[in-house]
Amino acid sequence: MNKGVWVFIEQREGEVQKVSLELLGKGRQLADQLSTKLTALLMGENVAQAAQELIYRGADEVIVVEDSLLNVYITEPYTKVMSCLIEERRPEIILIGATAIGRDLAPRVSARVHTGLTADCTSLEIEDETQNLLMTRPAFGGNIMATIICPDFRPQMSTVRPGVMVELDIDTTRKGEIINIKPSLVKEDINVEILEIVKEKKQKVKIEEANVLISGGRGLGKIDGFEILNQLASELGGMVSGSRAVVDAGWIDRDYQVGQTGKTVRPNLYFACGISGAIQHVAGMEESELIIAINKNTEAPIFEVADVGIVGDVHKVIPALIEELKSLKK
Amino acid sequence: MNFNLLKEHQMLIKLYEEFTEKEVKPWAEEIDETETFPVNTLEKLKRYGFMGIPFPKKYGGAGGDILSYILAVETLSKACATTGVVVSAHTSLCGAPIFEFGSEEQKLKYLVPLASGEKLGAFALTEANAGTDAAAQQTVAVKDGDNYIINGSKIFITNAGIADIYVIMAMTDKSQGTRGISAFIVEADTPGFTIGKKEAKMGIRGSSTCELIFENCIIPKENLIGKEGKGFSIAMKTLDGGRIGIAAQALGIAQGALDETVNYVKERRQFGKPLSYFQNTQFQLAEMKTKIEAARMLVYKAAYLKESNLPYANEAAMAKLYASETAMEVTTKAVQLHGGYGYTREYPVERMMRDAKITEIYEGTSEVQKMVIAANLLK
Ligand SMILES: Cc1cc2nc3c(=O)[nH]c(=O)nc-3n(C[C@H](O)[C@H](O)[C@H](O)COP(=O)(O)OP(=O)(O)OC[C@H]3O[C@@H](n4cnc5c(N)ncnc54)[C@H](O)[C@@H]3O)c2cc1C
Ligand SMILES: Cc1cc2nc3c(=O)[nH]c(=O)nc-3n(C[C@H](O)[C@H](O)[C@H](O)COP(=O)(O)OP(=O)(O)OC[C@H]3O[C@@H](n4cnc5c(N)ncnc54)[C@H](O)[C@@H]3O)c2cc1C
C-alpha cells in the first residue's frame, strides 16, 4: 500500500525555487485530507541548509540527497535517485513544478516507475469516494479543462504550473524530521556533459508583450534622448519603443516601431514622449489601457487619445518624473 | 469648332517624341528597377526647355501655352510615367502657384530659376492626418517679427529631397479654419527644414516621394504667397491645374501601353496565327483605343479652357477621373493581351500597370474628382 505525498524541491545553486514552496502549500492540504505525511525531496550538492525552511513551510519530513554528481541538474542522475527512492518508499502522490527542469524530470521518472503523469496542472483535489487525485489541466491552448485520474498505478504524478498554488507562511513552531541519504551514483550515471551554463541578461521581450511601454518620437531631438526613456523604463519595469520617425532617423531599431506599419501594442501603460500622434501611429497604440502623453505643443493630436496629457519639454518632464518615482520607492 | 491640333502643336509633339525615344525610354526600366531619380534625364529636360513650358519668356519659361505643356507630359509619360510626374509636379504644383499668385519679386526670385530648369520645385499640402481632408492642416506658421516660424511635417511629397524650392501650406490662424491656412515658399537649405525617409512605392518608382519635416524653420515674411489666410484657396486652384497634368500623365501611360500591345499582338503567334487575328484581341484593342481617345478630348479641352481663362475646375476633374481610370483599365488589359510575358519584368506593360494606379490617387483621389463634378452638377 502506497502512502505519503511528496514534493520535489527544485533548487538552483542551492536556492529553493518559489514553485516548490507553492507545492508544499498544496501538498500540506492533500496530505491532511489523506491523513498522511508530507515529504520534501531535496537533491543537490551542499543544499542541506535549505531543509529546515522546508519544514517551516509545511513538510513533515525532508529527504536530503547530497552528492557532487547532483551539483547541477542532469536528467539521468536525478531520475535514477528519484526512481530508486520511489521504489523503496512507495509514495502515493508526487508533485513537481512545471518548470523546464520539472518538465524534463517528471516524464523520465514516471516512465521508469511505470505510472501515470499529468502535465502542467492548475488544480488538484482528492476525490472523496476513491481517494484518487483529480488532476485538472488546460488543454488545446486553454480551450478545454481536462480532469485526469490515475486509478490503477502509484504514485500519482503531476507537474504543476508555477504561480497557481499558494505557499504557506513560515511557521517556526513546526517540527519535522530530516533524513540524509547517500545515493549510489557512479560516474557512468552522468551520460551528459554540461559544458557551460549561460545566464541570459533579462530575456528580450517583444514590445507587444510589455506591460509598460515608454515610446519616444522625433520630439526627443536626438538619439541621446532615449537615455532618459531607458531610465524611465527601468524605473517602471517597462520597455522602450518609438514612432516611425525615430526608426527612420536610425535612433532605434525597426522592431520597436509602434503603428500601422509597425507593431500594434496594448500595454497597461503607454507613455508617448515627443510623439505628435499621427493617425498611423495612433492606430497601433490607442487600445492601451492608460496613455500618458508628454508634448510641448498643446495642439498635438496625441492629446486626443491620451488619458493624461502633460504639456512640456520631455527633457524636463521625464527627469522630474524619474526623481519622483525614485523618492516614492524609498 | 476645330478638333485639329495647330501646326505648332503637331511640330512640338514630333520634338517631344524624338526626345522621349532618345532620352527617356532607354532609362525607364532602369530607374524603376533601381528606384533612382532620373538625374541625367533632368539635366536634358532642362537643356531642351521642358521645365517651364507654359511660363512667359520674361520669367525664364518657354512662353508656350498650356496645351504645349500638357502634350509634353503626355508624351514623356508614354515611355516613363516617373519622368512625366517630375515635370508635372514641378510645373503645375510649384511654378504655377508662384506665377499665378506670387508677387513680382517672388516671380523674379523663384519662378525664373524654376522655369529655366536651374532649380526643381515641389508642392507640399498632404499631412499624416490631412489627405483628402486637406483642410485639417496641423503644420503651423507663427509670425515672429519679420519672419514666420514653421513647425510640423508633410508626407508623400513628390520631388522631395531633390527639389530646391517648395511651395508649402501651413496654419497661420487655426480659429479661422480653411481661411487660416497660408501658402509659403521654402528653400531646401533653410535651417530647421529636413527631408524624412523616402517611401518605397508600387509604381513611379524613380520619382522621389518623401516626408518633409519643419522644426522651428524660420523663413522671411516675404515668402508668404498672396495674403495670410489665402493658402487653401491657392492650394485648391493649384490642384485644379495640376489635375490636367496628372490626366495627361495617365493619358500617356495608357497610350504607351496600347502602343506596346499593338506591336506585340501582331508578332506573337498562337494556333498558327498572330494574336491580332483573334476577334477578342481586336475588340479589346478597339475599346482601349476608344477610351483613350475620349480621355484625350477631355484632357485637351480642360487645357484649352485654362489657356482661355475660362472656368476649368470641373473639366479638369472630369479629365483626371476619366483618364486615370482609363489608364488603369487599359494597362490591365495590356498585361492580359501579353499573356504570361506581360507579367514578367522583361516587358514594360507590368510597369505601366503599376504606374497607372497612382494616377487614381494623387492630386485628389477619383472620389474627390467625383465630389467636385457632382457638386458642380447639383449646385
Ligand atoms: C506609409 C506610411 C506609414 C507609416 N507608418 C507609421 C507607423 O507605423 N508608426 C508611426 O509611428 N508612424 C508611421 N508613419 C509616420 C507618421 O505619419 C508620422 O510621420 C510619425 O508618426 C511622426 O512621428 P513623431 O510623432 O515621432 O514625429 P513628429 O510628428 O515630428 O512629432 C514630434 C512631436 O514632438 C513634439 N516635441 C518636439 N520637441 C519636444 C520636446 N522637447 N518635448 C516634448 N515634445 C516635443 C512636437 O510638438 C511634435 O508633436 C507612417 C507614414 C507613412 C507615410
Ligand atoms: C506617390 C505619391 C505622390 C504624392 N505627391 C504629393 C505631393 O507632391 N504633394 C502633396 O501635397 N501630396 C502628394 N501626395 C498625397 C496625395 O495627394 C494623397 O495621398 C491623396 O490626396 C489621398 O490622401 P490620403 O492618402 O491621405 O488618403 P485618404 O484621404 O486617407 O483617403 C483614403 C480613401 O478614402 C477616400 N475618401 C476620403 N474621404 C472621402 C470622402 N469624404 N468621401 C468619399 N471617399 C473618401 C479616398 O478617396 C481614398 O479612396 C502624393 C501621394 C503619393 C502616394
Side-chain angles (χ1 to χ4, degrees):
Chain A
M1 181 62 176
N2 296 56
K3 248 182 146 11
V5 176
W6 283 18
V7 171
F8 168 73
I9 304 299
E10 182 176 330
Q11 53 79 21
R12 297 189 190 184
E13 293 176 335
E15 198 179 315
V16 172
Q17 300 298 296
K18 190 169 184 300
V19 64
S20 301
L21 302 178
E22 292 166 10
L23 293 190
L24 282 176
K26 184 69 197 179
R28 182 70 264 156
Q29 230 182 347
L30 298 176
D32 288 345
Q33 244 174 307
L34 295 168
S35 318
T36 185
K37 261 199 304 202
L38 175 64
T39 305
L41 174 58
L42 178 63
M43 299 189 241
E45 185 183 17
N46 303 325
V47 292
Q49 80 288 349
Q52 189 58 50
E53 186 191 342
L54 299 175
I55 290 170
Y56 294 159
R57 294 282 191 169
D60 297 311
E61 66 178 22
V62 182
I63 300 177
V64 182
V65 187
E66 286 193 309
D67 193 299
S68 62
L69 296 177
L70 296 171
N71 177 22
V72 288
Y73 174 78
I74 296 177
T75 312
E76 181 52 33
Y78 271 71
T79 303
K80 183 175 175 188
V81 170
M82 196 157 167
S83 310
C84 291
L85 285 169
I86 290 169
E87 314 240 275
E88 251 171 66
R89 299 177 175 243
R90 307 201 161 270
E92 188 170 11
I93 291 174
I94 298 184
L95 307 180
I96 300 176
T99 60
I101 288 178
R103 286 168 196 243
D104 182 85
L105 175 68
R108 283 305 194 95
V109 172
S110 75
R112 205 160 290 186
V113 303
H114 198 275
T115 189
L117 166 70
T118 305
D120 208 17
C121 294
T122 52
S123 153
L124 297 169
E125 306 288 338
I126 301 292
E127 192 174 34
D128 285 338
E129 275 168 55
T130 61
Q131 306 270 290
N132 279 333
L133 182 63
L134 301 175
M135 300 174 276
T136 303
R137 59 157 305 186
F140 296 103
N143 292 316
I144 288 180
M145 296 302 283
T147 299
I148 296 164
I149 51 171
C150 174
D152 301 330
F153 294 93
R154 290 292 180 270
Q156 307 165 80
M157 288 183 66
S158 163
T159 62
V160 182
R161 190 174 284 194
V164 291
M165 305 303 173
V166 185
E167 63 190 58
L168 299 174
D169 290 334
I170 289 187
D171 177 358
T172 50
T173 64
R174 286 192 53 83
K175 300 251 171 333
E177 190 185 352
I178 296 175
I179 307 163
N180 287 296
I181 288 182
K182 185 77 197 145
S184 55
L185 284 173
V186 289
K187 273 246 164 57
E188 288 64 45
D189 290 324
I190 308 294
N191 54 359
V192 180
E193 191 187 351
I194 305 253
L195 297 180
E196 193 187 358
I197 295 176
V198 183
K199 285 190 194 149
E200 246 181 13
K201 277 193 208 111
K202 207 173 171 200
Q203 193 126 46
K204 210 178 185 185
V205 225
K206 296 188 182 152
I207 59 166
E208 304 95 294
E209 290 165 7
N211 281 325
V212 177
L213 274 181
I214 317 292
S215 217
R218 192 147 45 208
L220 291 176
K222 50 180 192 272
I223 190 166
D224 306 356
F226 270 96
E227 262 162 46
I228 43 171
L229 297 198
N230 280 324
Q231 281 173 32
L232 183 57
S234 69
E235 213 52 54
L236 291 167
M239 283 189 77
V240 165
S241 57
S243 69
R244 189 176 90 148
V246 297
V247 174
D248 289 350
W251 298 351
I252 56 168
D253 199 75
R254 179 93 223 238
D255 288 348
Y256 297 88
Q257 180 184 322
V258 171
Q260 241 161 32
T261 53
K263 306 273 171 63
T264 301
V265 298
R266 204 179 176 163
N268 295 334
L269 178 57
Y270 188 92
F271 268 93
C273 312
I275 291 177
S276 61
I279 188 72
Q280 295 87 354
H281 183 83
V282 169
M285 46 64 80
E286 63 192 339
E287 300 277 287
S288 304
E289 209 64 46
L290 183 74
I291 299 170
I292 302 181
I294 307 167
N295 196 303
K296 64 179 185 186
N297 174 10
T298 21
E299 305 276 329
I302 191 72
F303 289 128
E304 286 163 26
V305 294
D307 299 291
V308 179
I310 303 170
V311 178
D313 186 337
V314 283
H315 301 289
K316 298 207 180 92
V317 175
I318 296 177
L321 213 60
I322 294 170
E323 271 318 298
E324 197 64 29
L325 282 166
K326 280 200 172 131
S327 71
L328 273 178
K329 279 191 186 164
K330 271 182 206 149
Chain B
M1 210 176 197
N2 182 0
F3 283 101
N4 286 325
L5 289 178
L6 299 175
K7 250 242 139 49
E8 86 182 72
H9 287 134
Q10 293 177 17
M11 276 164 57
L12 277 174
I13 291 178
K14 264 211 135 52
L15 222 98
Y16 296 153
E17 274 174 353
E18 269 169 39
F19 179 88
T20 303
E21 198 61 33
K22 209 164 130 245
E23 308 290 358
V24 179
K25 201 169 182 182
W27 315 112
E29 186 184 336
E30 188 186 320
I31 63 172
D32 174 70
E33 195 77 36
T34 57
E35 301 190 46
T36 42
F37 188 85
V39 201
N40 295 330
T41 316
L42 184 59
E43 269 310 304
K44 302 209 168 101
L45 286 166
K46 170 176 139 185
R47 210 173 317 139
Y48 287 88
F50 274 87
M51 304 308 279
I53 299 172
F55 305 120
K57 291 208 162 108
K58 73 163 171 170
Y59 296 125
D65 61 1
I66 304 287
L67 189 57
S68 306
Y69 155 63
I70 288 304
L71 291 169
V73 176
E74 178 189 346
T75 311
L76 295 169
S77 303
K78 277 197 215 172
C80 175
T82 286
T83 308
V85 76
V86 169
V87 173
S88 175
H90 164 87
T91 310
S92 291
L93 299 184
C94 187
I98 297 174
F99 176 54
E100 286 169 36
F101 309 101
S103 65
E104 190 59 23
E105 295 80 54
Q106 286 171 340
K107 286 182 207 175
L108 292 175
K109 183 164 180 200
Y110 295 111
L111 183 58
V112 170
L114 283 169
S116 63
E118 192 189 314
K119 297 207 162 147
L120 185 68
F123 171 82
L125 171 68
T126 305
E127 297 184 359
N129 293 352
T132 299
D133 184 10
Q137 296 281 309
Q138 276 157 355
T139 297
V140 289
V142 180
K143 186 119 188 236
D144 181 35
D146 285 342
N147 298 316
Y148 282 96
I149 304 172
I150 304 177
N151 274 293
S153 62
K154 298 282 170 183
I155 60 167
F156 292 141
I157 305 311
T158 302
N159 290 347
I162 317 284
D164 312 280
I165 294 166
Y166 296 77
V167 169
I168 73 141
M169 304 298 146
M171 271 291 177
T172 38
D173 186 353
K174 196 151 197 172
S175 66
Q176 295 288 310
T178 52
R179 295 207 180 131
I181 298 171
S182 303
F184 299 92
I185 301 169
V186 180
E187 294 179 45
D189 54 6
T190 312
F193 173 35
T194 49
I195 307 291
K197 203 190 92 182
K198 194 173 133 185
E199 302 303 342
K201 306 188 296 292
M202 178 203 290
I204 55 162
R205 290 172 40 165
S207 150
S208 164
T209 312
C210 318
E211 187 183 12
L212 309 184
I213 304 149
F214 302 95
E215 277 169 315
N216 294 325
C217 169
I218 301 173
I219 58 163
K221 71 174 193 306
E222 293 80 44
N223 285 20
L224 171 73
I225 304 179
K227 290 205 183 74
E228 257 193 33
K230 289 286 175 212
F232 196 69
S233 142
I234 292 173
M236 291 304 115
K237 286 182 183 141
T238 299
L239 287 174
D240 287 341
R243 279 165 195 163
I244 314 178
I246 299 308
Q249 184 202 22
L251 180 59
I253 296 171
Q255 184 66 56
L258 179 62
D259 294 347
E260 291 291 338
T261 309
V262 168
N263 287 337
Y264 186 79
V265 297
K266 287 200 226 159
E267 286 164 7
R268 170 76 173 165
R269 295 172 78 89
Q270 286 291 281
F271 299 97
K273 299 184 180 88
L275 297 180
S276 59
Y277 178 88
F278 304 122
Q279 197 172 45
N280 177 61
T281 310
Q282 297 168 2
F283 282 8
Q284 296 290 337
L285 294 173
E287 278 180 28
M288 288 154 86
K289 172 70 181 162
T290 307
K291 290 197 169 161
I292 291 171
E293 212 46 42
R296 180 167 286 123
M297 291 303 109
L298 282 170
V299 176
Y300 291 1
K301 184 181 175 196
Y304 159 80
L305 290 173
K306 180 162 166 55
E307 181 63 32
S308 314
N309 286 318
L310 292 165
Y312 70 95
N314 195 34
E315 282 73 11
M318 289 193 287
K320 181 180 182 277
L321 172 65
Y322 193 75
S324 61
E325 303 211 326
T326 297
M328 199 61 235
E329 195 183 321
V330 166
T331 52
T332 310
K333 285 185 170 168
V335 171
Q336 185 69 18
L337 289 174
H338 276 70
Y341 303 89
Y343 197 67
T344 69
R345 304 217 294 261
E346 295 272 326
Y347 293 83
V349 285
E350 65 81 30
R351 165 168 51 83
M352 294 169 166
M353 181 175 156
R354 284 186 284 110
D355 288 347
K357 185 64 208 174
I358 188 61
T359 64
E360 294 183 325
I361 296 172
Y362 62 8
E363 300 204 22
T365 59
S366 287
E367 292 73 20
V368 167
Q369 312 312 325
K370 289 179 197 172
M371 289 181 211
V372 171
I373 299 159
N376 253 286
L377 198 57
L378 299 172
K379 84 178 163 202

